[in-house]
């Protein structure tokens, strides 16, 4: 197989049905059907509803992805799909559809760890992104600081001991009545706010890599309840900017602790929370200050997409690594 194979990939681990075609690290198409409007009415992702919506969307999206890429199925070198982690019913739709397509077309198939997809996303925009690197992964279900020693050689230095960063954004936004998903809502609400207005806690400050956000959540909720009771609620923008700053501070600090300790000169990031404007600004400033390179994928490649899964698929298929057709999804897969 070519070292830059043409790969079609499927991503259905949560609430986006996504299909993409890449050649090596070059995106030929990257299409997506978001279920945000369906789940917003419930205030969060309903697994059964997500799985059904994936079933409805996946065939049409596959045709669109091939048409936009200008690729005939005969020109594909392989198929990839997210194997886990994620919602089991949702994962099953993309994974089984991908296996069936690969079987029918007699193409090699590879199952991909969703977090490895996020970790490889910077490659789609930056030729220079290479190991060794420190990568910050921050999504709805995960917050991890990873020392990437090589592709497939991941040393997870730290992670959350309770809520993930995205989960903290989502829960706080729900409490504040800002809707779902919470990250973009808080990002928008923080516009013009003073990030130093309210000093929320930065938990586990004595740890180099692990993070914890559940205490922050309690602290914000307690603060808002007291302020409401005494009629001293500060402007929403100040609250949003201040709680966002607490999350951003912790993530930036842990990332650069890892840069310091490993001595690497390359920083990458992936996952929905990396779309956060303040986080992007602070990560970039800190990298510049230290003179290390930083590769932040654009927002569309931070949130869930299939191009990142295809990039990981191209890596492994290019190296001749396949997944057997009797493989199963694994909702608890770990890097
Ligand atoms: O990676 P992702 O799309 O899905 C998972 O793998 O979980 O991440 C979704 C998470 C959600 O918690 C969402 O609120 C958060 O990413 N997110 C953001 C922003 N955009 C999405 N968090 C903060 N600021 C944003 N702009
Ligand atoms: Zn994700």
């Amino acid at each position: 197989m070519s070292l830059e194979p043409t790969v079609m990939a499927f991503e259905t681990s949560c609430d986006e049905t996504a299909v993409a075609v890449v050649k090596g690290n070059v995106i030929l198409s990257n299409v997506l059907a978001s279920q945000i409007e369906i789940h917003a009415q419930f205030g969060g992702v309903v697994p059964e509803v997500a799985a059904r919506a994936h079933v409805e969307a996946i065939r049409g999206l596959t045709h669109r992805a091939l048409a936009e890429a200008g690729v005939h199925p005969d020109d594909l070198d392989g198929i990839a799909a997210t194997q886990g982690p994620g919602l089991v019913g949702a994962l099953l739709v993309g994974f089984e559809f991908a296996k069936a397509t690969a079987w029918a077309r007699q193409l090699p198939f590879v199952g991909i760890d969703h977090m490895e997809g996020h970790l490889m996303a910077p490659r789609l925009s930056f030729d220079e992104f290479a190991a060794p690197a420190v990568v910050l992964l921050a999504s709805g279900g995960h917050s991890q600081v990873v020392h990437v020693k090589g592709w497939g050689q991941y040393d997870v230095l730290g992670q959350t001991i309770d809520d993930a960063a995205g989960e903290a954004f989502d829960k706080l936004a729900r409490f504040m009545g800002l809707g779902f998903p919470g990250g973009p809502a808080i990002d928008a609400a923080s516009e013009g706010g003073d990030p130093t207005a309210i000093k929320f806690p930065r938990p586990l400050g004595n740890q180099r890599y692990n993070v914890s956000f559940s205490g922050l959540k309690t602290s914000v909720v307690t603060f808002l309840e007291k302020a409401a009771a005494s009629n001293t609620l500060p402007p929403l923008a100040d609250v949003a900017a201040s709680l966002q700053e607490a999350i951003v501070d912790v993530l930036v600090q842990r990332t650069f602790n890892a840069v310091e300790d490993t001595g690497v000169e390359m920083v990458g990031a992936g996952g929905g929370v990396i779309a956060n404007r303040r986080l992007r600004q602070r990560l970039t400033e800190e990298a510049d200050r230290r003179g290390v390179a930083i590769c932040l994928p654009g927002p569309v490649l931070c949130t869930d997409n299939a191009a990142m899964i295809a990039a990981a698929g191209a890596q492994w298929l290019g190296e001749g690594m396949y997944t057997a057709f009797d493989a199963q999804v694994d909702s608890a897969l770990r890097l």
Side-chain angles (χ1 to χ4, degrees):
M1 176 162 324
S2 130
L3 276 177
E4 294 198 335
T6 302
V7 175
M8 177 160 67
F10 300 87
E11 153 61 42
T12 62
S13 65
C14 191
D15 59 346
E16 325 269 15
T17 319
V19 187
V21 181
V22 306
K23 179 163 178 54
N25 289 323
V26 177
I27 300 176
L28 303 182
S29 66
N30 187 24
V31 300
L32 181 146
S34 173
Q35 304 175 8
I36 283 179
E37 280 179 20
I38 306 174
H39 298 293
Q41 51 188 313
F42 303 106
V45 179
V46 183
E48 174 65 19
V49 174
R52 283 171 189 271
H54 287 315
V55 171
E56 281 165 23
I58 199 162
R59 255 188 101 230
L61 279 178
T62 305
H63 289 298
R64 245 182 74 201
L66 287 166
E68 282 187 23
V71 166
H72 188 273
D74 291 343
D75 303 330
L76 292 170
D77 296 313
I79 304 276
T82 304
Q83 190 164 9
L87 305 168
V88 69
L91 284 165
L92 265 171
V93 179
F95 195 69
E96 298 303 321
F97 188 89
K99 282 198 296 187
T101 307
W103 174 262
R105 292 271 164 194
Q106 296 290 295
L107 288 168
F109 168 74
V110 66
I112 300 295
D113 182 322
H114 179 82
M115 298 314 289
E116 184 179 53
H118 279 307
L119 187 150
M120 287 198 181
R123 289 172 45 164
L124 294 162
S125 314
F126 300 91
D127 288 339
E128 68 271 30
F129 182 67
V134 163
V135 178
L136 170 66
L137 296 175
S139 67
H142 296 79
S143 304
Q144 296 177 319
V145 178
V146 186
H147 179 197
V148 178
K149 296 177 170 168
W151 302 122
Q153 290 176 275
Y154 309 125
D155 197 357
V156 179
L157 298 175
Q159 52 208 325
T160 179
I161 62 161
D162 40 58
D163 293 353
E167 198 177 347
F169 272 114
D170 292 339
K171 287 179 176 171
L172 282 164
R174 188 182 313 168
F175 179 76
M176 293 161 74
L178 294 176
F180 166 85
I186 288 178
D187 192 338
S190 72
E191 186 86 46
D194 174 6
T196 64
I198 308 146
K199 190 79 187 152
F200 291 123
R202 274 74 169 151
L204 295 189
N206 57 344
Q207 295 218 7
R208 292 295 281 171
Y209 311 120
N210 283 339
V211 299
S212 158
F213 294 113
S214 83
L216 170 68
K217 198 180 60 201
T218 313
S219 159
V220 173
V221 169
T222 311
F223 171 86
L224 288 174
E225 282 173 348
K226 277 192 187 155
S230 59
N231 244 332
T232 54
L233 271 177
L236 174 65
D238 284 353
V239 179
S242 298
L243 75 85
Q244 175 174 270
E245 199 69 5
I247 296 174
V248 167
D249 260 353
V250 170
L251 294 176
V252 172
Q253 195 209 52
R254 303 303 196 272
T255 305
F256 286 93
N257 281 346
V259 169
E260 221 165 275
D261 297 350
T262 58
V264 305
E265 295 185 347
M266 172 62 70
V267 177
V273 177
I274 310 299
N276 184 271
R277 291 174 300 168
R278 181 67 177 155
L279 178 57
R280 299 174 75 83
Q281 180 194 3
R282 292 278 313 279
L283 285 170
T284 306
E285 281 170 7
E286 192 59 27
D288 290 350
R289 200 176 68 76
R290 293 170 184 256
V292 297
I294 183 154
C295 297
L296 299 181
V300 170
L301 295 176
C302 287
T303 48
D304 287 349
N305 65 87
M308 68 185 194
I309 304 301
Q315 169 76 30
W316 297 125
L317 290 170
E319 290 194 21
M321 285 176 61
Y322 308 147
T323 300
F325 282 125
D326 61 358
Q328 303 293 316
V329 297
D330 180 354
S331 60
L333 199 63
R334 279 171 173 271
L335 262 191

